[in-house]
Amino acid sequence: MLADVWLVTNKDLRIEWRSRVTFNQVVPFALIVLVLFGFALDTNRAVLRAATSGVFWLTVLFVAVVAVTRSTMIEISDGARRALLLGGIEPVAIYFGKTLAIAIQLFGVELLMVGGVIFFFDATIASWPLLLATCVVATWCVAASGTLLGALVANVAARDTVLPILLLPVLAPVLIAASRAFDDALGVLVVDGWVWLGLLAAFGIVNATLGTLAYGTLLEEA
Amino acid sequence: MPIVELRDVVVLLGRFPALSGLNLSLNRAEVVLLQGPNGAGKSTLLRLCGGLLRPHSGSAVVLGHDLCTARAALRCRVGLLGHDSALYDDLSVVENLRFFAKAARLPPQTVVAALDRLELSRQLHSVPVRQLSAGQRRRVALATVVLRRPELWLLDEPHAGLDQEARNLLDELVAQAVSAGATVIVASHDHERTLNLATRTVTIVGGAVATQAQTAADTSSNRRL
Amino acid sequence: MKNIATSVDAATTKSRATQILGFVVLFGVLALILLGFFAAPEDDEQRDAVRMIFVHVPSAFLTYAAFSVTAAGSLMWLWKRSRWWDIVAHSAAEIGVIFCGLTLFTGSVWGRPTWNTYWDWGDVRLVTTLILFLMMVGYLALRAAGGEENAVATRAAVVGLLAAVNIPIINRSVEWWANRTLHQRSSLTDGNLEDLTLFTLVVGIVVWVLFFVWAMIHRFRIGWLEHQLRDIELQAAIAGRRAETANDPTGGSLP
């Protein structure tokens, strides 16, 4: 089971390593969004600092849509989804494998973005452990819902428009909770970030459970 | 017990009845040549037998697995060579095969064995599938089938895009598989080539069997069980 | 097949019972207007604006009721694969989106005179309801995107359940985030309402529930007729394919 999860993750990451789609397109996209928010939010340091957490996680959500689309496309181009089915891997292993692959890629992009907000937004890190923990847990949340919805829209003709319509509202609590936790980690707001992390964890568990239950059905029938 | 037992099977692609009440019963070690005009439902029949489609109505049992309930278990035991090659474009030939071998819990040496069997030169092993020619891609796809030693081979226009040498190789592979007890269904327009192997021809028109006939190969050999 | 065809030709979503129910709803709305505008007293603080409660609260109640029906129908589709439940889920979602839109609209219109703003990001119920609205619009968009009937039903069912399990989390997150609320406590339970206002509100809820039932019956019947129609088309398509087989020009001529 774990070996199969890693097999799928390894395959997706290897494909990314070869094609560099995320690295070559998503990273510049994320940085451009950050810079544009900088323009939009004025040269006012105070405004920029107050908005940093929200801007950061909103950008992550946009990046997630791109990453999920890519992860889905790998499996539909040239009958590869069929290959995954014929391979005889348990759907649950496929689900966690693909979730993990998206999460690892997003986490990498987030680390670069942390550098971006420190550089462009003048952010200071008050608590590295909280910052990293938030990135890990929130990324898992985004990847878990994203992988589920990616499989769900895989055979829909209008998948490119339907995916964000479905995914972004579902991720609203992740945006809220991760931003608050970041507010604490960046020392912008006096809140208890660790409590927010708990909420994120709950989201991650609930949505991964639903994904575990539904993924096989979606692969077979939808 | 028949290997394939289809009764009045309807399969929908979207809202289109690709199979419209098909009946077919195949025994072990048969080689079936599937023919019929374009759009007759040949590919759909192969994908159904491969456990990729769910019948809309009728009863379908392949290798003892009910296609309504046990497609996952069936898929591990069949080898399907479809129109598209079902390979990951960005991975190399060896990486693709390793993935399928690991997924099917086969030892790593089967990968090299399968590639050698398909006579794919060592230089090609580390080339991304994206860069292969259509014929080479087809060989790699065949290697993924050979690798798994399936009990039921489902070949959709297997000769398309292959050169003479590869075609001979394919025939050899099929003959070998059958003598090892596998059952083969080949959809092909290349009658002359496939006929000398076939024990039976089945003609599909309009999503159902129009005619079927035993062939010389069947009556002259006694390999059928 | 012919029977179904003729029954679809003569198809209607109307029946004696729904006609009566429809009239009751119409009468109920009339009664609600009279009670709401004339009988119920105005509020000490909110003046006439309080009358919005008679539409807003029943709509909000029905929104959550309808989406609960969608969640239940989704679960039943995945469990039993029954077309009946699939159509129930779809019908309830469509009607629920209308109620949800009405809730948001009446809420913001009411908010303007009482809170001095149409929208407040700090309010849990507003924001939760808005996100639910967006999710269900996505649900309908997914349904509208089409595809094979069973596949559409399965996809939609997963989204229906996804919305249902996430609502408590969204609610919690907004509540912590805002940590303040303009929204008044539940109107029904805090006991501050005048007797006649409370009575009118109860009438409003009853009328809305009846309307929901009426609309559900009609919408369900439309869904069922659509399903039958697809079935007829399918049978015709299968018959057409079989005719191809029977008239096979090459029949038997190949070796």
Side-chain angles (χ1 to χ4, degrees), chain B residues 203 205 210-211, chain C residues 245-254:
Chain B
T203 309
V205 180
T211 52
Chain C
T245 317
N247 303 330
D248 172 27
T250 64
S253 70
L254 286 163

Side-chain angles (χ1 to χ4, degrees), chain A residues 3-19 70-76 80-81 83-85 89 93-94 97-98 101 105 215, chain B residues 86-92 95-100 102-103:
Chain A
D4 280 348
V5 171
W6 180 243
L7 181 65
V8 175
T9 306
N10 184 35
K11 171 200 64 114
D12 276 14
L13 290 179
R14 206 178 271 266
I15 288 174
E16 163 54 22
W17 179 248
R18 296 261 189 282
S19 64
R70 168 70 183 156
S71 166
T72 312
M73 285 310 291
I74 293 174
E75 303 300 345
I76 23 192
R81 180 165 153 130
L84 209 53
L85 283 174
I89 306 173
I94 300 176
K98 291 193 82 70
Q105 292 175 49
Y215 199 77
Chain B
L87 301 166
Y88 293 101
D89 276 349
D90 291 305
L91 296 183
S92 74
E95 281 168 337
N96 263 291
L97 265 85
R98 257 190 220 137
F99 175 73
F100 292 112
K102 277 188 191 158

Side-chain angles (χ1 to χ4, degrees), chain A residues 14 18 75 78 82 220, chain B residues 75 84 88 95 137:
Chain A
R14 206 178 271 266
R18 296 261 189 282
E75 303 300 345
D78 200 21
R82 204 189 72 203
E220 290 278 353
Chain B
R75 283 194 296 259
D84 44 21
Y88 293 101
E95 281 168 337
R137 195 180 255 268

Side-chain angles (χ1 to χ4, degrees), chain A residues 10-176:
Chain A
N10 184 35
K11 171 200 64 114
D12 276 14
L13 290 179
R14 206 178 271 266
I15 288 174
E16 163 54 22
W17 179 248
R18 296 261 189 282
S19 64
R20 307 268 163 89
V21 169
T22 308
F23 191 75
N24 287 343
Q25 292 166 26
V26 173
V27 171
F29 171 72
L31 292 179
I32 287 167
V33 172
L34 282 186
V35 171
L36 288 181
F37 268 119
F39 292 144
L41 294 177
D42 220 325
T43 48
N44 187 332
R45 275 273 155 82
V47 174
L48 215 50
R49 288 200 62 181
T52 302
S53 314
V55 167
F56 184 94
W57 285 103
L58 190 59
T59 310
V60 170
L61 294 205
F62 290 150
V63 169
V65 172
V66 180
V68 170
T69 306
R70 168 70 183 156
S71 166
T72 312
M73 285 310 291
I74 293 174
E75 303 300 345
I76 23 192
S77 64
D78 200 21
R81 180 165 153 130
R82 204 189 72 203
L84 209 53
L85 283 174
L86 284 174
I89 306 173
E90 288 281 316
V92 177
I94 300 176
Y95 174 69
F96 281 105
K98 291 193 82 70
T99 300
L100 195 58
I102 293 181
I104 290 171
Q105 292 175 49
L106 279 181
F107 189 74
V109 176
E110 282 163 23
L111 289 184
L112 290 172
M113 281 172 56
V114 168
V117 292
I118 290 174
F119 189 76
F120 293 121
F121 287 28
D122 198 22
T124 48
I125 314 295
S127 161
W128 276 102
L130 179 59
L131 182 112
L132 290 176
T134 306
C135 282
V136 169
V137 180
T139 305
W140 172 262
C141 292
V142 172
S145 331
T147 306
L148 174 65
L149 284 170
L152 194 133
V153 301
N155 284 341
V156 177
R159 77 177 86 85
D160 294 344
T161 43
V162 173
L163 179 67
I165 293 178
L166 292 175
L167 183 57
L168 293 176
V170 172
L171 292 181
V174 178
L175 176 66
I176 295 173

